[in-house]
Amino acid sequence: MNETVVLTPERILEVAEDVLRRFGLAKATVVDVARALDVSHGSVYRHFPSKVSLREAVAKRWLERVNAPLAKIAEGSGPASARLERWLRTMFAIKHKKVCDDPEMFATYLALAHEACKVVKAHKDGLVDQIAHILSDGVKQGAFQVADVKTSARALFDATIRFHHPAHSEDWSDPALAARIDALLALLLRGLEAPRKR
Amino acid sequence: MNETVVLTPERILEVAEDVLRRFGLAKATVVDVARALDVSHGSVYRHFPSKVSLREAVAKRWLERVNAPLAKIAEGSGPASARLERWLRTMFAIKHKKVCDDPEMFATYLALAHEACKVVKAHKDGLVDQIAHILSDGVKQGAFQVADVKTSARALFDATIRFHHPAHSEDWSDPALAARIDALLALLLRGLEAPRKR
DNA sequence: TGAATGACAGATATTGAAATCTGTCAGCAA
DNA sequence: TTGCTGACAGATTTCAATATCTGTCATTCA
């Protein structure tokens, strides 16, 4: 009846994330994870071929939680301009929230992201695709004028990196941050705008 | 006659930078600098009150070399739009060159910049002022339309951070980098443009 | 038979004693 | 007097011995 004694990859990931939170990236070991699960570390190696792959899976799970709400916005309907702004602001808010709520865990994630850079790259590519999807809608609606949707999506991702890349989380204490975001978004949206009909 | 035996702050900085280059940030000591100068380390402390202040001075000297060519462009004349683009491309080129020419030294500088963050902040503020100067010219020329020059200058700095911040130098190997820069600059310049007269 | 164990070899991390460094200052030399 | 030295105390770093971890696998258990 007690299903929680079954050792599943999902359960290992849960506990592994918790161990990472408590010990930090440098000190968290596979043995620690096994101890927390009350099994031998050999059992963990039955489900994950290496420590690296376990950590990559944790990073993937983490990034999926960032991705889900953004995908919902990207897939939505309505004016692309407002949708793009909402999508970008939501991304900033998610990253900002993660830093402020649990700075220690974020530092751990930051280091983990550096290790699992392949997983992070896939995540980024997914986000650029979401921007491209919104841009594509905007072009259809006649609101945006861009040379190439894919390239412009990448440019938007690059242009906003200051407000969503973890490496810049140090200076998220600037009181004028909201104003800086407003100014940047205004500049970018104006740059995308299709010329008015006369 | 041999003036080089005189111990000046400038000479110490030269040698300190060389020591930093050869030993790396973690291993370079004040004693190493003194040894390279063939004086006791007490003599170095006559000119700099601490190891930290010596390192800050090295960082400042380093950043001044980045600043000088950009200031020249900012102070120039001609159409602000072309000048802004040239200024930004020059900044990217300077950073890119520093990374590619001497990656090891750049890694050292990256860590040093993290230590001497106050010096770096002043450097950044100076760069934003230079952008603001160009924008201000552009508004006078009727080429740009912005709500607030200072704020827009900051927005431009933020928007291009991907291509000038040292933290993003890892992925400067992307073959499509030039295209990404082109796309970003086109987007930003279009966002600044004043509407055409009819 | 399939899931879990625990012992093992080689790699990695911890630890504490010894070496080196930072910053100060009394004194020397010009 | 000015610029430098070298000895010093306390802080930091190095290094080598010791402990722990990673990944494998023969064995046990149900």
Side-chain angles (χ1 to χ4, degrees):
Chain A
M1 188 95 195
N2 186 354
E3 302 293 338
T4 65
V5 299
V6 179
L7 194 59
T8 63
E10 180 55 32
R11 193 159 139 61
I12 293 174
L13 289 181
E14 261 174 50
V15 170
E17 189 172 320
D18 190 54
V19 166
L20 230 43
R21 168 170 282 113
R22 285 192 287 127
F23 297 149
L25 190 75
K27 293 196 174 177
T29 70
V30 175
V31 171
D32 290 328
V33 175
R35 255 201 291 271
L37 283 161
D38 208 39
V39 298
S40 73
H41 74 279
S43 299
V44 174
Y45 278 97
R46 173 164 304 279
H47 298 276
F48 295 92
S50 69
K51 185 184 179 181
V52 167
S53 75
L54 173 58
R55 288 187 160 183
E56 281 178 352
V58 170
K60 207 166 180 177
R61 219 176 84 104
W62 173 287
L63 292 173
E64 188 43 49
R65 292 204 294 270
V66 172
N67 206 68
L70 292 175
K72 207 162 200 169
I73 295 173
E75 299 300 333
S77 57
S81 177
R83 187 137 46 98
L84 178 59
E85 183 168 347
R86 195 152 73 88
W87 190 92
L88 289 169
R89 286 188 185 277
T90 302
M91 177 160 66
F92 304 161
I94 289 171
K95 298 283 173 115
H96 197 186
K97 189 170 186 307
K98 285 209 184 295
V99 174
C100 295
D101 283 6
D102 195 344
E104 220 161 304
M105 185 59 195
F106 198 80
T108 297
Y109 161 70
L110 183 48
L112 178 58
H114 204 255
E115 275 186 5
C117 56
K118 225 184 126 182
V119 172
V120 173
K121 193 184 177 320
H123 171 67
K124 283 182 187 170
D125 288 345
L127 293 179
V128 172
D129 285 345
Q130 289 182 26
I131 299 176
H133 184 266
I134 300 174
L135 283 187
S136 165
D137 280 4
V139 171
K140 276 181 212 147
Q141 292 169 1
F144 294 154
Q145 185 180 65
V146 299
D148 175 63
V149 166
K150 192 82 195 166
T151 303
S152 296
R154 175 64 73 176
L156 284 169
F157 190 81
D158 287 341
T160 52
I161 210 160
R162 164 69 179 76
F163 299 110
H164 63 73
H165 195 287
H168 299 288
S169 51
E170 331 117 13
D171 31 33
W172 277 2
S173 52
D174 184 344
L177 194 74
R180 286 169 74 168
I181 291 177
D182 291 349
L184 178 61
L185 292 181
L187 181 65
L188 294 174
L189 289 170
R190 196 154 165 235
L192 289 170
E193 243 173 38
R196 294 290 182 85
K197 277 182 188 159
R198 315 181 249 158
Chain B
M1 188 95 198
N2 186 353
E3 303 291 339
T4 65
V5 299
V6 179
L7 196 59
T8 62
E10 180 55 31
R11 195 160 138 61
I12 293 173
L13 288 181
E14 260 173 50
V15 171
E17 188 171 320
D18 191 53
V19 167
L20 229 44
R21 168 170 282 113
R22 285 193 287 127
F23 294 78
L25 189 74
K27 291 197 176 178
T29 69
V30 175
V31 171
D32 290 328
V33 175
R35 255 201 291 271
L37 282 162
D38 208 39
V39 297
S40 73
H41 74 280
S43 300
V44 175
Y45 279 97
R46 174 164 304 279
H47 297 277
F48 294 92
S50 68
K51 185 184 179 182
V52 167
S53 74
L54 173 58
R55 289 187 158 184
E56 280 177 351
V58 171
K60 207 167 179 176
R61 219 176 85 104
W62 174 287
L63 292 173
E64 188 43 48
R65 292 205 294 270
V66 171
N67 207 66
L70 293 175
K72 206 162 198 169
I73 295 172
E75 300 300 331
S77 57
S81 178
R83 188 137 44 97
L84 178 59
E85 183 168 346
R86 195 152 72 88
W87 191 93
L88 289 170
R89 285 188 186 278
T90 303
M91 177 161 65
F92 304 161
I94 290 172
K95 298 282 173 118
H96 197 188
K97 189 170 186 309
K98 284 210 185 294
V99 174
C100 295
D101 282 7
D102 194 346
E104 219 162 305
M105 186 59 195
F106 197 80
T108 297
Y109 161 70
L110 184 49
L112 178 57
H114 203 256
E115 275 185 7
C117 55
K118 225 183 127 183
V119 171
V120 173
K121 193 186 177 318
H123 172 67
K124 283 183 190 169
D125 288 346
L127 293 178
V128 172
D129 285 345
Q130 290 183 24
I131 299 176
H133 183 266
I134 300 173
L135 284 188
S136 165
D137 279 4
V139 171
K140 276 180 212 149
Q141 293 170 359
F144 293 155
Q145 183 180 66
V146 299
D148 176 62
V149 166
K150 192 83 194 162
T151 304
S152 295
R154 174 65 73 177
L156 283 169
F157 190 82
D158 287 341
T160 52
I161 210 158
R162 163 68 178 77
F163 299 110
H164 62 72
H165 195 288
H168 299 288
S169 51
E170 330 119 13
D171 31 33
W172 278 2
S173 52
D174 184 344
L177 194 74
R180 287 169 73 168
I181 290 176
D182 291 348
L184 178 60
L185 291 181
L187 181 65
L188 294 175
L189 289 170
R190 196 156 166 233
L192 289 169
E193 243 173 38
R196 294 291 181 84
K197 279 183 188 157
R198 317 182 245 156

